[in-house]
Amino acid sequence: MSNPSLLILPGDGIGPEVMAEVRKVIDWFGAKRDLAFDVSEDLVGGCAYDAHGTPLTDATMARAQEVDAVLLGAVGGPKYDQLDFSVKPERGLLRLRKEMDLYANLRPAQCFDALAEFSSLKPEVVGGLDIMIIRELTSGVYFGEPRGIVREGNERVGINTQRYTESEIARVARSAFELARKRDNKVCSMEKANVMESGVLWRDVVQEIHDAEYPDVELSHMYADAGAMQLTRWPKQFDVIVTDNLFGDLLSDLAAMLTGSLGMLPSASLGAPMANGRPKALYEPVHGSAPDIAGQGKANPIACILSFAMALRYSFDAGDEAQRLESAVNAVLADGLRTADLLGQEGVEPVTTAQMGDAILAKLDASL
Ligand code: IPM
Ligand code: MG
């Protein structure tokens, strides 16, 4: 049988340098765990625009549809701020999400023990935190029509449309309930049913799917603004949170920061199963392209490495190996190794991106 295929899209800013560390990890699993991948690499975002005049070529899009999983670094940068909306780096990422129909975006917010001190919240509030935000990723106000900037009389009007079909809500709700069953069996659904019809429908459909198919899972509903408040007040009350595209964008950044560092958190974007049974999947760190520190060896490769761990778990049925990688990351942090984004204590010298990657490889070796 041929090896599973991976398409790597490092993207812009710190994307290439963090992805270089992931490549080492991928090679390690091939050499030491008999888990080899056929890896190909391509452009996405600003670098694709520079080379081809588009943030994602049709050929790259087609390749993404064929492979077993896509691993993406980050896109964007100030160089591209003035570009027309249709060719901005972000459009490349949004096209991948939309055309691969990656409707369930899993964003874990986990507090690493060694890093609880970096949270802006008290250690007792965040210590041991482990929640999973499931953000709907292919619909809602990000994609709804009509949209645009139009002229009305003598002024301009900006328009975006929040739109959800029943089936779009139902499928992401199912993802949340399925995942909850493998965790603490609790789902909290967040919307604004008090102001938005799409929120009323969201709440109804989530409740219906629950009652019909997942009555064993504990379900609660919260308005998204109250959810933001509760997330900062006592985040450990949550297990799985399911919410729409825009609220999920905001709430996942909030939840990520609770853990002390955005540089640590991975994500998985999953769609329907392919012919081989694997879900369509794209894995990427939650952090952005951080152009201000790009190319200086300051970036933290952990979020991207942990995104590969999610790939092992959700695409390649290798939960044990995912765990091995996550333990290696934990061990390195417990040893006190810190990239520049994690510095708080005086007298601690930061390690470079590559040194962090090498230290994780050494822990992987030690795990054998
Ligand atoms: C994210 C990002 C993206 C989004 C941007 C880069 C388009 O903020 O993945 O959370 O808004 O979805
Ligand atoms: Mg975001």
Side-chain angles (χ1 to χ4, degrees):
M1 241 174 65
S2 59
N3 295 327
S5 52
L6 272 180
L7 172 63
I8 294 198
L9 303 172
D12 306 319
I14 60 171
E17 59 203 278
V18 295
M19 199 59 88
E21 302 313 306
V22 180
R23 287 298 290 257
K24 295 183 192 166
V25 170
I26 293 172
D27 291 344
W28 186 91
F29 278 94
K32 305 282 174 73
R33 300 303 299 160
D34 208 17
L35 246 179
F37 295 91
D38 287 337
V39 180
S40 51
E41 202 167 307
D42 214 330
L43 303 176
V44 68
C47 59
Y49 176 82
D50 289 338
H52 304 296
T54 167
L56 187 75
T57 64
D58 292 344
T60 312
M61 186 65 240
R63 180 83 192 123
Q65 297 280 19
E66 282 163 20
V67 292
D68 291 313
V70 179
L71 221 58
L72 187 139
V75 295
K79 187 179 159 196
Y80 308 104
D81 280 350
Q82 302 311 319
L83 285 183
D84 185 75
F85 216 70
S86 62
V87 289
K88 274 196 192 300
E90 290 80 0
R91 297 308 305 174
L93 177 57
L94 294 172
R95 181 176 175 199
L96 282 164
R97 290 174 178 173
K98 186 69 180 173
E99 291 191 21
M100 292 171 75
D101 203 16
L102 305 171
Y103 58 87
N105 181 212
L106 280 52
R107 299 192 162 185
Q110 233 171 330
C111 185
F112 296 82
D113 289 340
L115 299 180
E117 58 179 310
F118 291 99
S119 175
S120 48
L121 300 188
K122 298 189 193 81
E124 65 265 30
V125 177
V126 293
L129 180 70
D130 178 10
I131 58 187
M132 178 73 88
I133 297 198
I134 302 200
R135 166 189 179 194
E136 198 293 324
L137 201 60
T138 50
S139 185
V141 75
Y142 270 59
F143 297 99
E145 299 282 346
R147 65 184 299 159
I149 301 175
V150 298
R151 192 154 271 289
E152 266 181 29
N154 52 14
E155 66 172 354
R156 289 167 303 160
V157 184
I159 301 172
N160 290 92
T161 303
Q162 167 85 338
R163 188 193 134 92
Y164 269 107
T165 64
E166 254 183 295
S167 52
E168 286 169 341
I169 301 167
R171 63 183 187 173
V172 74
R174 286 194 182 94
S175 303
F177 291 127
E178 291 289 341
L179 213 77
R181 278 184 175 162
K182 296 183 193 140
R183 299 170 44 98
D184 289 340
N185 216 33
K186 279 197 326 196
V187 170
C188 181
S189 169
M190 297 187 186
E191 26 55 21
K192 287 279 289 177
N194 51 344
V195 245
M196 299 165 74
E197 285 79 0
S198 61
V200 173
L201 185 71
W202 181 282
R203 187 176 282 224
D204 284 354
V205 173
V206 171
Q207 188 69 50
E208 286 161 18
I209 297 290
H210 169 267
D211 296 352
E213 301 171 32
Y214 302 92
D216 53 299
V217 179
E218 193 185 311
L219 171 66
S220 59
H221 302 274
M222 232 180 240
Y223 297 141
D225 54 344
M229 185 179 74
Q230 290 299 335
L231 265 172
T232 44
R233 189 185 70 85
W234 188 243
K236 284 186 241 179
Q237 70 187 280
F238 299 108
D239 177 26
V240 173
I241 293 174
V242 63
T243 188
D244 76 13
N245 204 341
L246 184 59
F247 293 142
D249 184 39
L250 304 180
L251 293 171
S252 63
D253 263 24
L254 192 162
M257 208 55 217
L258 295 179
T259 70
S261 173
L262 210 54
M264 301 288 297
L265 295 177
S267 78
S269 304
L270 306 177
M274 301 184 281
N276 62 13
R278 295 191 173 106
K280 276 261 161 84
L282 180 146
Y283 299 88
E284 57 177 318
V286 170
H287 65 66
S289 60
D292 51 321
I293 60 162
Q296 300 166 36
K298 288 184 182 168
N300 186 345
I302 291 180
C304 207
I305 288 173
L306 291 177
S307 299
F308 177 63
M310 288 187 93
L312 289 172
R313 178 172 291 119
Y314 294 108
S315 284
F316 304 114
D317 221 6
D320 292 352
E321 300 301 334
Q323 182 78 54
R324 179 191 299 279
L325 181 50
E326 288 158 356
S327 301
V329 168
N330 263 314
V332 162
L333 292 172
D335 282 355
L337 251 68
R338 303 284 184 262
T339 42
D341 57 314
L342 298 176
L343 284 189
Q345 299 141 304
E346 294 204 18
V348 179
E349 269 298 305
V351 299
T352 65
T353 310
Q355 285 169 332
M356 184 57 100
D358 291 340
I360 292 168
L361 288 184
K363 292 293 182 192
L364 283 173
D365 276 335
S367 78
L368 294 176

